[in-house]
Amino acid sequence: ELKVEQNPLFLSMQEGKNYTIYCNYSTTSDRLYWYRQDPGKSLESLFVLLSNGAVKQEGRLMASLDTKARLSTLHITAAVHDLSATYFCAVDMPSYNNDMRFGAGTRLTVKP
Amino acid sequence: EPEVTQTPSHQVTQMGQEVILRCVPISNHLYFYWYRQILGQKVEFLVSFYNNEISEKSEIFDDQFSVERPDGSNFTLKIRSTKLEDSAMYFCASREGVVATEAFFGQGTRLTVV
């Protein structure tokens, strides 16, 4: 069974600081996704990582994928309050339909 | 911009009653999913649907659950006899393909079983 583990699960950080969220998964997959969820809202796609070594950046967020280590990172640079949300990584199952399985999420709070 | 739409946004039902949650996926998408999220917890896979049939389902998706695509646009999740533990946010998602595409999620239906 595919396991997707994120850490930390809770992250409180000061504005202006940097931090990294980690996503480990247990099966061979070269497709990983990062989503953002605001409280009571849906899941918004942030990044699609489709190969080993893939790196994507959008604003203060940068995501990378190492398929050999089965590890993805979401790096936050100079955090601002607007980044407060829950961040989920999701991995495609190595099956016919490649259904996504989600990590438990990292609840990020950025304090002034 | 195309989006996945779900109705209703919130449904309250009595234990033992049947509920149907509705979704309209993005029109050119071929793969459809239901996920659920118990308040503040992880997003759990329920079922995937392709070519008018279930392609995969989780252990959560027991005989009380069913899905249907009755008219080529709607995608429904039925829970036959709801239990208190079915209370959750249910998200519908769709994908254009399964290679190199992300899933787009609807706004969710909050189901409360009392």
Side-chain angles (χ1 to χ4, degrees):
Chain A
E1 182 185 333
L2 172 63
K3 291 183 181 176
V4 183
E5 295 182 342
Q6 283 183 241
N7 71 85
L9 299 182
F10 298 93
L11 176 56
S12 179
M13 55 191 298
Q14 295 284 334
E15 279 191 329
K17 298 292 187 184
N18 305 333
Y19 208 84
T20 300
I21 299 170
Y22 297 88
C23 175
N24 290 90
Y25 54 97
S26 63
T27 190
T28 54
S29 177
D30 56 3
R31 290 192 288 275
L32 189 137
Y33 311 86
W34 284 94
Y35 285 85
R36 169 181 171 145
Q37 186 180 40
D38 292 296
K41 302 293 185 181
S42 186
L43 294 132
E44 174 192 356
S45 177
L46 291 176
F47 298 109
V48 178
L49 302 168
L50 300 175
S51 61
N52 186 41
V55 177
K56 296 275 184 77
Q57 182 160 6
E58 180 73 34
R60 301 174 188 273
L61 300 177
M62 184 174 70
S64 66
L65 178 61
D66 180 343
T67 58
K68 292 179 181 173
R70 299 179 185 176
L71 170 68
S72 179
T73 62
L74 180 66
H75 187 71
I76 303 155
T77 301
V80 293
H81 179 69
D82 285 352
L83 290 179
S84 297
T86 300
Y87 294 85
F88 291 93
C89 64
V91 177
D92 273 343
M93 283 280 283
S95 63
Y96 175 72
N97 249 19
N98 292 298
D99 308 321
M100 284 193 309
R101 297 293 188 274
F102 282 79
T106 296
R107 187 176 297 178
L108 171 65
T109 304
V110 181
K111 298 181 177 178
Chain B
E1 184 176 326
E3 59 180 15
V4 177
T5 57
Q6 289 185 243
T7 55
S9 56
H10 189 192
Q11 177 143 8
V12 181
T13 188
Q14 290 206 327
M15 191 168 53
Q17 294 297 303
E18 175 183 286
V19 295
I20 298 176
L21 311 183
R22 292 185 165 79
C23 168
V24 179
I26 294 172
S27 62
N28 64 332
H29 286 189
L30 301 176
Y31 296 83
F32 314 114
Y33 308 87
W34 284 100
Y35 289 83
R36 81 172 186 190
Q37 185 180 34
I38 295 172
L39 186 64
Q41 298 186 27
K42 71 183 295 184
V43 179
E44 299 176 295
F45 170 75
L46 292 178
V47 66
S48 59
F49 193 87
Y50 169 70
N51 201 25
N52 284 320
E53 60 183 21
I54 290 173
S55 26
E56 195 156 350
K57 58 185 180 180
S58 72
E59 60 275 10
I60 302 169
F61 194 90
D62 61 21
D63 292 345
Q64 294 300 311
F65 291 85
S66 62
V67 289
E68 214 176 26
R69 190 160 157 80
D71 57 11
S73 61
N74 290 287
F75 179 50
T76 62
L77 174 70
K78 182 193 290 187
I79 310 174
R80 288 191 185 80
S81 178
T82 49
K83 302 187 281 285
L84 294 175
E85 53 264 39
D86 292 328
S87 296
M89 183 74 94
Y90 288 80
F91 290 106
C92 171
S94 69
R95 293 171 92 162
E96 185 175 357
V98 290
V99 177
T101 65
E102 74 262 50
F104 292 88
F105 284 78
Q107 291 302 307
T109 293
R110 180 171 299 282
L111 176 65
T112 303
V113 182
V114 297

